[in-house]
Amino acid sequence: MKTDFGWNFDNSYSRLPRRFFTQQKPIPVKAPKLVILNEKLAADLGVDIAKLHTEEGIAIFAGNQIPEGAFPLAQAYAGHQFGHFTMLGDGRAVLLGEQLTPNDGRLDIQLKGSGKTPYSRGGDGRAALGPMLREYIISEAMYALGIPTTRSLAVVTTGETTFRETPLPGAILTRVAASHLRVGTFQYITAFGSHEELKILADYTINRHYPQAAMAENPYLSLLQEVIKYQAGLIAKWQLVGFIHGVMNTDNMAISGETIDYGPCAFMDTYEPATVFSSIDIEGRYAYGNQPYIGGWNLARFAETLLPLLDDDEGEAVKLAEAAISEYGKLYQSYWLAGMRAKLGIFSEEEQDEALVVDLLNLMQKYSADYTNTFLGLTVDKPYGLKLFATEEFSQWKRRWHERLGRQEQSEDTIQELMRNSNPAVIPRNHRVEEALDAAVNQEDTSVMKKLLAVLSKPFAHLPEQAEYCTLPPKSDRPYRTFCGT
Ligand code: AMP
Ligand code: MG
């Protein structure tokens, strides 16, 4: 039932068997203050923006008040973290419920940093302001880039100190997601639940995300195929913009196909497949160039959980799963190549297109070219100070590329338009994100972040005022580092 706040909860997840979650209220905080509210998203959710700004609205974002119709709970899940299986669960998050939106959507509303839960495993259940604002900025940038992602509705400070290596201001992020079902949710039920519970989870997922699978001859195989397709599409999109997730554990892979869990993620600047930003990813498991492979590895773990549902005969089930998984690489490659063609303004398909792309990437690597600015430079025909553009090898490549463009019927203007819509002028560059966080956290000044968010909200507009956001940071002798579980 819709409240005068506009909350309109219907909590289907809370109606699942008790094994799936623990009823858990957020732990109240001392003195909440609103740092940022996503008014556009609030409007899409059908929630009253003016009311969200009131003391009562802020109390909800802080977990001090439970909105009418909510059913706060912590979800249970497991996951492979850096390849090792572990029991996890929401250790610092509470799902308030599912908001039914004015355009017939159903979206999870989750508080992240809302205090201890039975799954906290020694953690404090809290989050610091910097990392929550970082998730806000990057998830909203991803949304604007057209990449499926969880969204960020609000960040509040708690008025309490969160202790990490140093004392930091505590904060809570309100996250909005198609759902928080993960590969790890299936792993958890497979490991600790019954066959009946696994079937309930799979049916629930089909109903919520892939209703067409219910009509298939084998609905569970169809579910697996759909998830594979969506993940292949998602990871191709990450690669195309140079996004590095940083912690692709199976608990951080959403069944809906959305990007989830913005911890140590960052955008690559210089094109280098081995790029890793996360301080704990010592072996480069989640390096940029490894992401497509890890996606397949995670999906194989997902397929394993579904085996008991795929066929009564185990051998037959394994065969079906293997056939589905073997499609992943092909799907990924076709999405990636289609995206690369668009980035180069190519409409038709020729056998040699892939070589054209790979040769460019190799040159970018050889001359340490900035990934985003190389494609931007090709789009607007400006060199952006890139050494690469002054080389003879690049001139030769460019001739090949122009010949290729000449073999299709589209006009120059049409090609330009495709390239402008496929190559972002701005991405959340690490130094810009840090600058915004520093002002917000250390000077309580959110204006730098708000300006950055405005610029990032139109990455394909190619506006003159975005130019200053395309520049690279001053050279530093220390590589950029990101951190997990902050
Ligand atoms: P993540 O790396 O954010 O995917 O988190 C992995 C697991 O650690 C999840 O189960 C989180 O809920 C949990 N976790 C991360 N930080 C904390 C914290 N400060 N307190 C309790 N649990 C946490
Ligand atoms: Mg996680």
Side-chain angles (χ1 to χ4, degrees):
M1 197 202 54
K2 199 164 172 159
T3 66
D4 58 353
F5 236 97
W7 294 116
N8 190 14
F9 285 112
D10 174 63
N11 307 316
S12 63
Y13 195 88
S14 73
R15 297 191 286 270
L16 290 171
R18 284 306 151 110
R19 188 188 300 281
F20 289 58
F21 61 91
T22 304
Q23 245 179 299
Q24 173 70 54
K25 287 202 175 116
I27 313 293
V29 299
K30 212 153 81 191
K33 252 170 65 183
L34 185 66
V35 180
I36 189 158
L37 172 68
N38 192 336
E39 296 195 353
K40 173 81 179 63
L41 177 57
D44 291 347
L45 290 170
V47 193
D48 188 314
I49 295 164
K51 286 207 168 74
L52 291 181
H53 278 283
T54 64
E55 207 172 305
E56 196 188 339
I58 296 166
I60 290 172
F61 290 138
N64 286 5
Q65 195 170 319
I66 308 300
E68 214 181 311
F71 186 107
L73 60 87
Q75 291 180 321
Y77 54 85
H80 274 92
Q81 296 196 300
F82 289 89
H84 303 284
F85 187 73
T86 322
M87 173 62 205
L88 297 159
D90 287 331
R92 57 164 171 173
V94 158
L95 176 68
L96 288 179
E98 297 147 37
Q99 169 78 357
L100 302 182
T101 69
N103 58 0
D104 292 331
R106 173 186 292 272
L107 294 169
D108 273 11
I109 310 290
Q110 193 207 53
L111 301 182
K112 181 170 175 181
S114 54
K116 279 191 192 166
T117 77
Y119 311 110
S120 294
R121 299 175 301 147
D124 62 359
R126 293 297 183 192
L129 179 58
M132 294 305 100
L133 290 178
R134 198 164 184 282
E135 169 153 352
Y136 188 110
I137 295 169
I138 300 189
S139 63
E140 288 305 304
M142 293 285 274
Y143 174 74
L145 285 163
I147 300 176
T149 176
T150 62
R151 304 283 308 273
S152 297
L153 179 61
V155 174
V156 294
T157 44
T158 58
E160 297 175 7
T161 301
T162 303
F163 292 93
R164 294 296 179 257
E165 270 151 25
T166 51
L168 298 166
I172 298 172
L173 168 79
T174 304
R175 178 157 80 179
V176 177
S179 85
H180 285 82
L181 295 167
R182 308 146 190 267
V183 169
T185 316
F186 281 81
Q187 290 182 293
Y188 166 76
I189 294 297
T190 299
F192 305 108
S194 64
H195 182 84
E196 184 54 24
E197 283 168 333
L198 178 63
K199 193 169 168 317
I200 290 171
L201 176 61
D203 289 337
Y204 176 81
T205 307
I206 288 173
N207 185 38
R208 189 157 173 189
H209 294 301
Y210 303 103
Q212 68 285 13
M215 263 85 80
E217 196 188 317
N218 184 338
Y220 306 111
L221 177 61
S222 181
L223 168 64
L224 175 60
Q225 290 165 331
E226 289 294 301
V227 174
I228 288 170
K229 191 172 84 190
Y230 276 82
Q231 282 296 334
L234 178 69
I235 296 171
K237 288 195 171 92
W238 290 356
Q239 299 304 104
L240 291 165
V241 298
F243 173 77
I244 303 174
H245 183 283
V247 61
M248 286 175 73
N249 295 331
T250 54
D251 51 301
N252 293 335
M253 183 182 252
I255 298 294
S256 66
E258 287 182 342
T259 311
I260 190 170
D261 232 319
Y262 292 88
C265 63
F267 280 71
M268 174 173 65
D269 30 39
T270 305
Y271 178 74
E272 171 48 64
T275 306
V276 171
F277 291 114
S278 171
S279 58
I280 61 166
D281 193 1
I282 312 291
E283 290 170 14
R285 179 179 171 90
Y286 300 140
Y288 171 78
N290 229 16
Q291 295 190 128
Y293 164 77
I294 291 292
W297 192 89
N298 288 351
L299 289 165
R301 303 291 78 72
F302 178 53
E304 282 164 8
T305 70
L306 293 178
L307 288 177
L309 301 177
L310 290 179
D311 200 284
D312 291 339
D313 178 79
E314 206 186 315
E316 197 51 41
V318 169
K319 260 196 233 156
L320 290 173
E322 280 175 354
I325 288 291
S326 73
E327 286 300 307
Y328 166 77
K330 290 176 237 168
L331 280 169
Y332 166 78
Q333 188 63 19
S334 71
Y335 291 138
W336 176 81
L337 188 54
M340 278 295 179
R341 282 196 176 103
K343 284 172 89 67
L344 291 177
I346 299 173
F347 286 84
S348 53
E349 291 181 18
E350 282 185 12
E351 192 74 46
Q352 316 90 304
D353 290 342
E354 189 172 346
L356 188 70
V357 173
V358 170
D359 290 348
L360 174 64
L361 293 175
N362 286 340
L363 286 178
M364 284 161 68
Q365 187 177 11
K366 181 171 173 186
Y367 290 100
S368 302
D370 181 81
Y371 179 78
T372 306
N373 285 355
T374 299
F375 285 102
L376 188 58
L378 294 175
T379 305
V380 297
D381 204 17
K382 275 200 206 136
Y384 283 99
L386 293 169
K387 251 191 345 208
L388 165 69
F389 284 18
T391 66
E392 179 49 34
E393 286 156 291
F394 176 75
S395 299
Q396 279 174 19
W397 179 87
K398 201 172 173 187
R399 267 196 295 280
R400 264 169 73 204
W401 175 49
H402 280 163
E403 279 164 25
R404 173 65 184 88
L405 294 181
R407 287 198 297 275
Q408 56 185 11
E409 61 197 25
Q410 281 76 12
S411 69
E412 255 178 55
D413 282 353
T414 314
I415 290 170
Q416 254 272 315
E417 199 190 332
L418 176 63
M419 290 184 71
R420 287 168 86 98
N421 290 330
S422 311
N423 295 308
V426 281
I427 51 158
R429 290 202 177 270
N430 301 323
H431 66 296
R432 287 294 189 178
V433 174
E434 292 302 324
E435 172 190 66
L437 295 181
D438 180 54
V441 176
N442 301 322
Q443 281 122 55
E444 292 191 32
D445 169 11
T446 54
S447 65
V448 185
M449 176 174 76
K450 285 180 178 155
K451 190 164 170 229
L452 177 63
L453 283 165
V455 166
L456 292 173
S457 72
K458 295 189 183 78
F460 303 109
H462 298 268
L463 305 168
E465 61 266 32
Q466 292 175 328
E468 58 180 302
Y469 288 85
C470 302
T471 52
L472 307 184
K475 274 256 172 290
S476 156
D477 43 9
R478 270 190 310 156
Y480 186 66
R481 279 278 161 267
T482 57
F483 302 92
C484 261
T486 37

